[in-house]
Coordinates of all heavy atoms in Angstrom, one line a residue:
D1 N 0.8 -1.2 0.0 CA 0.0 0.0 0.0 C 0.9 1.2 0.0 O 1.9 1.3 0.7 CB -0.9 0.0 1.2 CG -2.0 -1.0 1.1 OD1 -2.7 -0.9 0.1 OD2 -2.1 -1.8 2.1
N2 N 0.4 2.2 -0.8 CA 1.1 3.5 -0.8 C 0.5 4.4 0.2 O -0.7 4.6 0.2 CB 1.0 4.1 -2.2 CG 1.8 3.4 -3.2 OD1 2.8 2.7 -2.9 ND2 1.4 3.4 -4.5
P3 N 1.3 5.0 1.1 CA 0.7 6.0 2.0 C 0.3 7.2 1.3 O 0.9 7.6 0.3 CB 1.8 6.3 3.0 CG 3.1 5.9 2.2 CD 2.7 4.9 1.3
A4 N -0.8 7.9 1.8 CA -1.2 9.1 1.2 C -0.2 10.2 1.5 O 0.4 10.3 2.6 CB -2.6 9.5 1.9
V5 N 0.0 11.0 0.5 CA 1.0 12.1 0.6 C 0.3 13.4 0.2 O -0.4 13.4 -0.9 CB 2.2 11.9 -0.4 CG1 3.1 13.1 -0.3 CG2 2.9 10.6 0.0
E6 N 0.4 14.4 1.0 CA -0.2 15.7 0.6 C 0.8 16.5 -0.3 O 2.0 16.7 0.1 CB -0.5 16.5 1.9 CG -1.2 17.8 1.6 CD -1.5 18.6 2.9 OE1 -1.9 17.9 3.8 OE2 -1.5 19.8 2.8
L7 N 0.3 16.9 -1.4 CA 1.2 17.7 -2.3 C 0.8 19.2 -2.2 O -0.4 19.5 -2.2 CB 1.0 17.3 -3.8 CG 1.5 15.9 -4.1 CD1 1.1 15.5 -5.5 CD2 3.0 15.7 -3.8
K8 N 1.7 20.1 -2.2 CA 1.5 21.5 -2.3 C 1.8 22.0 -3.7 O 2.9 22.0 -4.1 CB 2.3 22.2 -1.3 CG 1.9 21.8 0.2 CD 2.7 22.7 1.2 CE 2.5 22.1 2.6 NZ 1.3 22.5 3.3
L9 N 0.7 22.3 -4.4 CA 0.8 22.7 -5.8 C 0.5 24.2 -5.9 O -0.4 24.6 -5.2 CB -0.1 21.9 -6.8 CG 0.1 20.4 -6.8 CD1 -0.9 19.8 -7.7 CD2 1.5 20.1 -7.2
T10 N 1.1 24.9 -6.8 CA 0.8 26.3 -7.1 C -0.5 26.2 -7.9 O -0.9 25.2 -8.5 CB 1.9 27.0 -7.9 OG1 1.9 26.4 -9.2 CG2 3.2 27.0 -7.2
P11 N -1.3 27.3 -8.0 CA -2.5 27.4 -8.8 C -2.2 27.0 -10.3 O -2.9 26.2 -10.9 CB -3.0 28.8 -8.7 CG -2.5 29.2 -7.3 CD -1.1 28.6 -7.2
A12 N -1.0 27.4 -10.8 CA -0.7 27.1 -12.2 C -0.4 25.6 -12.4 O -0.8 25.0 -13.3 CB 0.5 28.0 -12.7
E13 N 0.3 25.0 -11.4 CA 0.6 23.6 -11.5 C -0.7 22.8 -11.4 O -0.8 21.8 -12.1 CB 1.5 23.2 -10.3 CG 3.0 23.7 -10.4 CD 3.8 23.6 -9.1 OE1 3.2 23.3 -8.1 OE2 5.0 23.7 -9.2
W14 N -1.6 23.2 -10.5 CA -2.9 22.6 -10.4 C -3.6 22.6 -11.7 O -4.2 21.6 -12.1 CB -3.6 23.2 -9.2 CG -4.9 22.6 -8.9 CD1 -6.2 23.1 -9.1 CD2 -5.2 21.3 -8.4 NE1 -7.1 22.2 -8.7 CE2 -6.5 21.1 -8.2 CE3 -4.3 20.2 -8.0 CZ2 -7.1 19.9 -7.7 CZ3 -4.9 19.1 -7.5 CH2 -6.2 18.9 -7.4
Q15 N -3.6 23.8 -12.3 CA -4.4 23.9 -13.6 C -3.8 22.9 -14.7 O -4.6 22.3 -15.4 CB -4.3 25.3 -14.1 CG -5.2 26.3 -13.3 CD -5.0 27.7 -13.8 OE1 -4.0 28.3 -13.7 NE2 -6.1 28.2 -14.3
V16 N -2.5 22.9 -14.7 CA -1.9 22.0 -15.7 C -2.2 20.5 -15.4 O -2.6 19.7 -16.3 CB -0.4 22.2 -15.8 CG1 0.3 21.1 -16.6 CG2 -0.1 23.6 -16.4
L17 N -2.1 20.1 -14.1 CA -2.4 18.8 -13.7 C -3.8 18.4 -14.0 O -4.1 17.3 -14.6 CB -2.0 18.6 -12.3 CG -2.2 17.1 -11.7 CD1 -1.4 16.1 -12.5 CD2 -1.9 17.1 -10.2
I18 N -4.8 19.2 -13.7 CA -6.2 18.9 -14.0 C -6.4 18.8 -15.5 O -7.1 17.9 -15.9 CB -7.1 20.0 -13.4 CG1 -7.0 20.0 -11.8 CG2 -8.5 19.9 -13.9 CD1 -7.6 18.7 -11.2
Y19 N -5.8 19.7 -16.2 CA -6.0 19.7 -17.7 C -5.5 18.4 -18.2 O -6.2 17.7 -19.0 CB -5.2 20.9 -18.3 CG -5.4 21.0 -19.8 CD1 -6.5 21.8 -20.3 CD2 -4.6 20.4 -20.7 CE1 -6.7 22.0 -21.6 CE2 -4.8 20.6 -22.1 CZ -5.8 21.4 -22.5 OH -6.0 21.5 -23.9
L20 N -4.3 17.9 -17.8 CA -3.8 16.7 -18.3 C -4.6 15.5 -17.8 O -4.8 14.5 -18.5 CB -2.3 16.6 -17.9 CG -1.4 17.5 -18.6 CD1 0.0 17.5 -18.0 CD2 -1.3 17.3 -20.1
A21 N -5.0 15.5 -16.5 CA -5.8 14.4 -16.0 C -7.1 14.3 -16.7 O -7.6 13.1 -16.9 CB -6.0 14.7 -14.5
D22 N -7.7 15.3 -17.1 CA -9.0 15.3 -17.9 C -8.7 14.6 -19.3 O -9.7 14.2 -19.9 CB -9.6 16.7 -18.1 CG -10.2 17.2 -16.8 OD1 -10.4 16.4 -15.9 OD2 -10.5 18.4 -16.8
R23 N -7.5 14.6 -19.7 CA -7.2 14.0 -21.0 C -6.2 12.9 -20.9 O -5.4 12.6 -21.8 CB -6.6 15.1 -21.9 CG -7.6 16.2 -22.2 CD -6.9 17.6 -22.5 NE -7.9 18.6 -22.8 CZ -8.6 19.3 -21.8 NH1 -8.3 19.0 -20.6 NH2 -9.5 20.2 -22.1
Q24 N -6.3 12.2 -19.7 CA -5.3 11.1 -19.4 C -5.1 10.2 -20.6 O -6.0 9.7 -21.2 CB -5.8 10.4 -18.2 CG -4.9 9.3 -17.7 CD -5.5 8.4 -16.7 OE1 -5.1 7.3 -16.5 NE2 -6.5 8.8 -16.0
G25 N -3.8 9.9 -20.9 CA -3.5 9.0 -21.9 C -3.4 9.6 -23.3 O -2.9 9.0 -24.2
D26 N -3.9 10.8 -23.4 CA -3.9 11.5 -24.7 C -2.7 12.5 -24.8 O -2.3 13.1 -23.8 CB -5.1 12.4 -24.9 CG -6.4 11.5 -25.0 OD1 -6.3 10.3 -25.4 OD2 -7.5 12.1 -24.7
V27 N -2.1 12.6 -26.0 CA -1.1 13.6 -26.2 C -1.7 15.0 -26.3 O -2.7 15.2 -27.1 CB -0.3 13.3 -27.5 CG1 0.7 14.4 -27.7 CG2 0.4 12.0 -27.4
V28 N -1.2 15.9 -25.5 CA -1.8 17.3 -25.4 C -0.7 18.2 -25.9 O 0.4 18.2 -25.4 CB -2.2 17.6 -24.0 CG1 -2.6 19.1 -23.9 CG2 -3.3 16.7 -23.5
S29 N -1.0 19.0 -27.0 CA 0.1 19.9 -27.5 C 0.3 21.0 -26.4 O -0.6 21.5 -25.7 CB -0.4 20.5 -28.8 OG -1.3 21.5 -28.6
A30 N 1.6 21.4 -26.4 CA 2.0 22.5 -25.4 C 1.2 23.8 -25.8 O 0.6 24.4 -24.9 CB 3.5 22.7 -25.5
K31 N 1.1 24.1 -27.0 CA 0.4 25.3 -27.4 C -1.0 25.3 -27.1 O -1.6 26.2 -26.6 CB 0.7 25.6 -28.9 CG 0.3 26.9 -29.4 CD 0.8 27.2 -30.8 CE 0.9 28.6 -31.0 NZ 1.9 29.0 -32.0
G32 N -1.7 24.1 -27.4 CA -3.1 23.9 -27.1 C -3.4 24.0 -25.6 O -4.4 24.7 -25.2
L33 N -2.5 23.5 -24.8 CA -2.7 23.5 -23.3 C -2.6 25.0 -22.9 O -3.4 25.5 -22.1 CB -1.6 22.7 -22.7 CG -1.6 22.5 -21.2 CD1 -1.0 21.2 -20.8 CD2 -1.0 23.7 -20.4
L34 N -1.6 25.7 -23.4 CA -1.4 27.1 -23.0 C -2.6 27.9 -23.3 O -3.1 28.7 -22.5 CB -0.1 27.7 -23.6 CG 1.2 27.2 -23.1 CD1 2.3 27.5 -24.0 CD2 1.4 27.8 -21.7
I35 N -3.1 27.8 -24.6 CA -4.3 28.5 -25.0 C -5.5 28.2 -24.2 O -6.3 29.1 -23.8 CB -4.5 28.3 -26.5 CG1 -3.3 29.0 -27.3 CG2 -5.8 28.9 -27.0 CD1 -3.3 28.6 -28.8
D36 N -5.7 26.9 -24.0 CA -7.0 26.4 -23.3 C -7.0 26.9 -21.9 O -8.0 27.2 -21.3 CB -7.1 24.9 -23.4 CG -7.5 24.4 -24.7 OD1 -7.9 25.2 -25.6 OD2 -7.5 23.2 -24.9
I37 N -5.8 26.9 -21.2 CA -5.8 27.3 -19.8 C -5.7 28.8 -19.6 O -6.5 29.4 -18.9 CB -4.6 26.6 -19.1 CG1 -4.9 25.1 -19.0 CG2 -4.5 27.2 -17.6 CD1 -3.7 24.3 -18.3
W38 N -4.8 29.5 -20.4 CA -4.5 30.9 -20.1 C -4.9 31.8 -21.2 O -4.8 33.0 -21.1 CB -3.1 31.1 -19.7 CG -2.7 30.5 -18.4 CD1 -3.2 30.9 -17.2 CD2 -2.0 29.3 -18.2 NE1 -2.7 30.0 -16.2 CE2 -1.9 29.1 -16.8 CE3 -1.3 28.4 -19.0 CZ2 -1.3 28.0 -16.2 CZ3 -0.6 27.4 -18.4 CH2 -0.6 27.2 -17.1
G39 N -5.3 31.3 -22.4 CA -5.8 32.2 -23.5 C -4.7 32.4 -24.6 O -3.5 32.0 -24.4
D40 N -5.1 33.0 -25.7 CA -4.3 33.1 -26.8 C -3.0 33.9 -26.6 O -2.0 33.6 -27.2 CB -5.1 33.9 -27.9 CG -6.2 33.0 -28.6 OD1 -6.0 31.8 -28.5 OD2 -7.1 33.6 -29.1
S41 N -3.0 34.8 -25.6 CA -1.8 35.6 -25.4 C -0.7 34.8 -24.8 O 0.5 35.2 -24.8 CB -2.1 36.8 -24.4 OG -2.6 36.3 -23.2
Y42 N -1.0 33.6 -24.3 CA 0.1 32.7 -23.8 C 0.5 31.6 -24.7 O 1.3 30.8 -24.4 CB -0.5 32.0 -22.5 CG -0.4 32.8 -21.3 CD1 -1.4 33.8 -21.0 CD2 0.7 32.7 -20.4 CE1 -1.3 34.6 -19.9 CE2 0.7 33.5 -19.2 CZ -0.3 34.5 -19.0 OH -0.2 35.3 -17.9
S43 N 0.0 31.7 -26.0 CA 0.3 30.6 -26.9 C 1.8 30.3 -27.2 O 2.1 29.2 -27.6 CB -0.4 30.9 -28.2 OG 0.1 32.0 -28.9
N44 N 2.6 31.3 -27.0 CA 4.1 31.1 -27.3 C 4.9 31.0 -26.0 O 6.1 31.0 -26.1 CB 4.6 32.3 -28.1 CG 4.0 32.3 -29.5 OD1 3.9 31.2 -30.1 ND2 3.6 33.4 -30.0
E45 N 4.3 30.8 -24.9 CA 5.0 30.7 -23.6 C 5.4 29.3 -23.3 O 5.2 28.8 -22.2 CB 4.1 31.3 -22.5 CG 3.8 32.8 -22.6 CD 5.0 33.7 -22.5 OE1 5.9 33.3 -21.9 OE2 4.9 34.7 -23.2
I46 N 6.0 28.7 -24.3 CA 6.4 27.3 -24.1 C 7.4 27.1 -23.0 O 7.3 26.1 -22.2 CB 7.0 26.7 -25.5 CG1 6.0 26.9 -26.6 CG2 7.5 25.3 -25.3 CD1 4.7 26.1 -26.5
K47 N 8.4 28.0 -22.8 CA 9.4 27.9 -21.8 C 8.7 27.9 -20.4 O 9.0 27.2 -19.5 CB 10.4 29.0 -21.9 CG 11.5 28.8 -21.0 CD 12.4 27.6 -21.3 CE 13.6 27.5 -20.5 NZ 14.2 26.3 -20.6
Y48 N 7.7 28.8 -20.2 CA 6.9 28.9 -19.0 C 6.3 27.5 -18.7 O 6.3 27.0 -17.6 CB 5.8 29.9 -19.2 CG 4.8 30.0 -18.0 CD1 5.2 30.5 -16.8 CD2 3.5 29.6 -18.2 CE1 4.3 30.6 -15.7 CE2 2.6 29.8 -17.1 CZ 3.0 30.3 -15.9 OH 2.1 30.3 -14.9
L49 N 5.7 26.9 -19.7 CA 5.1 25.5 -19.5 C 6.1 24.5 -19.2 O 5.9 23.6 -18.3 CB 4.3 25.1 -20.8 CG 3.5 23.8 -20.7 CD1 2.6 23.8 -19.5 CD2 2.8 23.5 -22.0
Q50 N 7.3 24.5 -19.8 CA 8.3 23.6 -19.5 C 8.7 23.7 -18.1 O 9.0 22.7 -17.4 CB 9.5 23.8 -20.4 CG 9.3 23.4 -21.9 CD 10.4 23.9 -22.8 OE1 11.1 24.8 -22.5 NE2 10.4 23.2 -24.0
V51 N 8.8 24.9 -17.5 CA 9.2 25.1 -16.1 C 8.1 24.5 -15.2 O 8.4 23.8 -14.2 CB 9.5 26.6 -15.8 CG1 9.6 26.8 -14.3 CG2 10.7 27.1 -16.6
L52 N 6.9 24.8 -15.5 CA 5.8 24.2 -14.7 C 5.8 22.7 -14.7 O 5.6 22.1 -13.7 CB 4.4 24.7 -15.3 CG 4.0 26.1 -14.9 CD1 2.7 26.5 -15.6 CD2 3.8 26.2 -13.4
V53 N 6.0 22.1 -15.9 CA 6.0 20.6 -16.0 C 7.2 20.1 -15.2 O 7.0 19.1 -14.5 CB 6.0 20.2 -17.5 CG1 6.4 18.7 -17.6 CG2 4.7 20.5 -18.2
T54 N 8.3 20.7 -15.2 CA 9.5 20.3 -14.5 C 9.2 20.4 -13.0 O 9.5 19.4 -12.2 CB 10.7 21.2 -14.8 OG1 11.1 21.0 -16.2 CG2 11.9 20.8 -13.9
Q55 N 8.5 21.4 -12.5 CA 8.1 21.6 -11.1 C 7.2 20.5 -10.7 O 7.3 19.9 -9.6 CB 7.5 22.9 -10.9 CG 8.5 24.1 -10.9 CD 7.8 25.4 -10.9 OE1 6.6 25.6 -11.2 NE2 8.6 26.4 -10.5
L56 N 6.2 20.2 -11.6 CA 5.2 19.1 -11.3 C 5.9 17.8 -11.2 O 5.6 17.0 -10.3 CB 4.1 19.1 -12.4 CG 2.9 19.9 -12.2 CD1 2.0 19.9 -13.4 CD2 2.1 19.4 -11.0
R57 N 6.8 17.5 -12.1 CA 7.5 16.2 -12.1 C 8.3 16.0 -10.8 O 8.3 15.0 -10.2 CB 8.5 16.1 -13.2 CG 7.8 15.8 -14.5 CD 8.9 15.5 -15.6 NE 8.2 15.2 -16.9 CZ 8.5 15.7 -18.0 NH1 9.5 16.6 -18.1 NH2 7.9 15.4 -19.1
K58 N 8.9 17.1 -10.3 CA 9.6 17.0 -9.0 C 8.7 16.7 -7.9 O 9.1 16.0 -6.9 CB 10.4 18.3 -8.8 CG 11.6 18.5 -9.7 CD 12.3 19.8 -9.4 CE 13.5 19.9 -10.4 NZ 14.1 21.2 -10.2
K59 N 7.4 17.1 -8.0 CA 6.5 16.8 -6.9 C 5.7 15.5 -7.0 O 5.3 14.9 -6.1 CB 5.5 18.0 -6.8 CG 6.1 19.3 -6.4 CD 5.1 20.4 -6.4 CE 5.8 21.8 -6.0 NZ 4.9 22.9 -6.0
L60 N 5.6 15.0 -8.3 CA 4.8 13.9 -8.6 C 5.5 12.6 -8.8 O 5.0 11.5 -8.5 CB 3.9 14.1 -9.8 CG 2.9 15.2 -9.7 CD1 2.2 15.4 -11.0 CD2 1.8 14.9 -8.6
E61 N 6.7 12.7 -9.4 CA 7.4 11.5 -9.8 C 8.4 11.1 -8.7 O 9.0 11.9 -8.0 CB 8.2 11.8 -11.1 CG 7.4 12.2 -12.3 CD 6.7 11.0 -13.0 OE1 7.0 9.8 -12.6 OE2 6.0 11.2 -13.9
I62 N 8.7 9.8 -8.7 CA 9.7 9.3 -7.8 C 11.1 9.7 -8.3 O 11.9 10.2 -7.5 CB 9.6 7.7 -7.7 CG1 8.3 7.3 -7.0 CG2 10.9 7.1 -7.0 CD1 8.0 5.8 -7.0
N63 N 11.3 9.6 -9.6 CA 12.5 10.1 -10.2 C 12.1 11.1 -11.3 O 11.8 10.6 -12.4 CB 13.3 8.9 -10.7 CG 14.6 9.4 -11.4 OD1 14.9 10.6 -11.6 ND2 15.5 8.4 -11.7
S64 N 12.2 12.4 -11.0 CA 11.8 13.4 -12.0 C 12.6 13.4 -13.3 O 12.2 13.9 -14.3 CB 11.7 14.8 -11.4 OG 13.0 15.2 -11.0
E65 N 13.8 12.8 -13.2 CA 14.7 12.8 -14.3 C 14.3 11.7 -15.3 O 14.6 11.7 -16.5 CB 16.2 12.5 -13.9 CG 16.7 13.6 -13.1 CD 16.9 14.9 -13.8 OE1 17.3 14.9 -15.0 OE2 16.6 16.0 -13.2
K66 N 13.6 10.7 -14.8 CA 13.0 9.6 -15.6 C 11.5 9.4 -15.3 O 11.1 8.4 -14.7 CB 13.8 8.3 -15.3 CG 15.2 8.3 -15.7 CD 16.0 7.0 -15.5 CE 17.4 7.2 -15.9 NZ 18.1 5.9 -15.6
P67 N 10.7 10.4 -15.8 CA 9.3 10.3 -15.4 C 8.6 9.1 -16.0 O 8.9 8.7 -17.1 CB 8.8 11.6 -16.0 CG 9.7 12.0 -17.1 CD 11.0 11.5 -16.6
K68 N 7.6 8.6 -15.2 CA 6.8 7.5 -15.7 C 5.3 7.9 -15.9 O 4.5 7.1 -16.4 CB 6.9 6.3 -14.7 CG 8.3 5.7 -14.6 CD 8.3 4.5 -13.8 CE 9.8 4.0 -13.8 NZ 9.9 2.6 -13.5
H69 N 5.0 9.1 -15.4 CA 3.6 9.5 -15.4 C 3.4 10.8 -16.2 O 2.5 10.8 -17.0 CB 3.0 9.7 -14.0 CG 3.2 8.4 -13.2 ND1 2.4 7.3 -13.4 CD2 4.0 8.1 -12.2 CE1 2.8 6.4 -12.6 NE2 3.7 6.8 -11.8
L70 N 4.2 11.8 -16.0 CA 4.0 13.0 -16.7 C 5.1 13.1 -17.8 O 6.3 13.4 -17.5 CB 4.2 14.2 -15.7 CG 4.0 15.6 -16.3 CD1 2.8 15.7 -17.2 CD2 4.0 16.6 -15.1
L71 N 4.7 12.7 -19.0 CA 5.7 12.4 -20.1 C 5.7 13.5 -21.1 O 4.7 14.1 -21.4 CB 5.3 11.1 -20.8 CG 5.1 9.9 -19.9 CD1 4.7 8.7 -20.8 CD2 6.4 9.6 -19.1
S72 N 6.9 13.8 -21.6 CA 7.1 14.6 -22.8 C 7.1 13.7 -23.9 O 7.9 12.7 -24.0 CB 8.5 15.4 -22.7 OG 8.5 16.3 -21.6
V73 N 6.3 14.0 -24.9 CA 6.2 13.1 -26.1 C 6.2 14.0 -27.3 O 5.9 15.2 -27.2 CB 4.9 12.3 -26.1 CG1 4.9 11.3 -24.9 CG2 3.7 13.1 -26.0
P74 N 6.5 13.5 -28.5 CA 6.5 14.3 -29.7 C 5.1 15.0 -29.8 O 4.1 14.3 -29.7 CB 6.7 13.3 -30.8 CG 7.5 12.2 -30.2 CD 6.9 12.1 -28.8
G75 N 5.1 16.3 -29.9 CA 3.9 17.0 -30.0 C 3.4 17.6 -28.7 O 2.4 18.4 -28.7
G76 N 3.9 17.2 -27.6 CA 3.5 17.8 -26.3 C 3.7 17.0 -25.1 O 4.8 16.5 -24.9
Y77 N 2.7 16.8 -24.3 CA 2.8 16.1 -23.0 C 1.6 15.1 -22.9 O 0.6 15.1 -23.6 CB 2.6 17.1 -21.9 CG 3.7 18.1 -21.8 CD1 3.5 19.4 -22.3 CD2 5.0 17.8 -21.3 CE1 4.6 20.3 -22.3 CE2 6.0 18.7 -21.3 CZ 5.8 20.0 -21.8 OH 6.8 20.9 -21.8
K78 N 1.9 14.1 -22.0 CA 0.9 13.0 -21.8 C 1.0 12.6 -20.3 O 2.1 12.4 -19.8 CB 1.1 11.8 -22.7 CG 0.2 10.7 -22.5 CD 0.1 9.7 -23.6 CE 1.3 8.8 -23.7 NZ 1.1 7.7 -24.6
L79 N -0.2 12.5 -19.7 CA -0.2 12.0 -18.3 C -0.7 10.5 -18.4 O -1.7 10.2 -19.0 CB -1.2 12.8 -17.5 CG -1.3 12.4 -16.0 CD1 0.0 12.7 -15.3 CD2 -2.5 13.1 -15.3
V80 N 0.1 9.7 -17.8 CA -0.2 8.2 -17.7 C -0.4 7.8 -16.3 O 0.6 8.0 -15.5 CB 1.0 7.4 -18.4 CG1 0.7 5.9 -18.3 CG2 1.2 7.8 -19.8
V81 N -1.5 7.3 -16.0 CA -1.8 6.9 -14.6 C -2.2 5.4 -14.7 O -3.2 5.1 -15.3 CB -2.9 7.7 -13.9 CG1 -3.2 7.2 -12.5 CG2 -2.6 9.2 -14.0
K82 N -1.5 4.6 -14.0 CA -1.8 3.2 -13.9 C -2.6 2.9 -12.7 O -2.4 3.4 -11.6 CB -0.5 2.4 -13.8 CG 0.4 2.5 -15.1 CD 1.7 1.8 -15.0 CE 2.4 2.1 -16.3 NZ 3.8 1.7 -16.2
K83 N -3.7 2.1 -12.9 CA -4.6 1.8 -11.8 C -4.2 0.5 -11.2 O -3.6 -0.3 -11.7 CB -6.0 1.7 -12.4 CG -6.5 3.0 -12.9 CD -7.9 2.9 -13.4 CE -8.4 4.2 -13.9 NZ -9.7 4.2 -14.4

């Protein structure tokens, strides 16, 4: 059994996690994610999103250098949750 762990996420990290969780298993484009969450004016803020994903990995993954759940894939990101 895995013990429950409380995570402290920023509002932006939470928004990204919820967005990816709603599309679990699907590849989500970085640009599409930025536009859907923050609007057209954020469409080119790829570096901002990369930083957020890195922060999320450090909080969610056992080894953030070799993620198993929050993946970078050609075309964007994918959240994989095994039941």
Side-chain angles (χ1 to χ4, degrees):
D1 288 305
N2 292 333
V5 176
E6 183 176 326
L7 295 176
K8 295 186 190 276
L9 302 178
T10 67
E13 291 168 345
W14 183 247
Q15 286 177 296
V16 170
L17 183 58
I18 293 296
Y19 187 89
L20 292 171
D22 286 345
R23 294 153 183 83
Q24 183 189 157
D26 295 336
V27 175
V28 175
S29 76
K31 194 169 202 155
L33 186 152
L34 287 163
I35 292 170
D36 287 350
I37 294 177
W38 293 290
D40 290 334
S41 62
Y42 279 81
S43 66
N44 292 317
E45 298 295 331
I46 302 298
K47 189 67 175 165
Y48 174 71
L49 182 58
Q50 290 171 337
V51 170
L52 280 174
V53 168
T54 297
Q55 291 172 336
L56 268 173
R57 282 186 180 135
K58 288 179 181 177
K59 294 177 180 182
L60 297 174
E61 298 281 357
I62 292 171
N63 180 352
S64 64
E65 298 294 320
K66 295 181 181 178
K68 294 187 180 204
H69 303 289
L70 183 47
L71 308 176
S72 295
V73 295
Y77 298 99
K78 178 163 74 168
L79 183 67
V80 178
V81 180
K82 296 178 182 167
K83 296 181 181 182

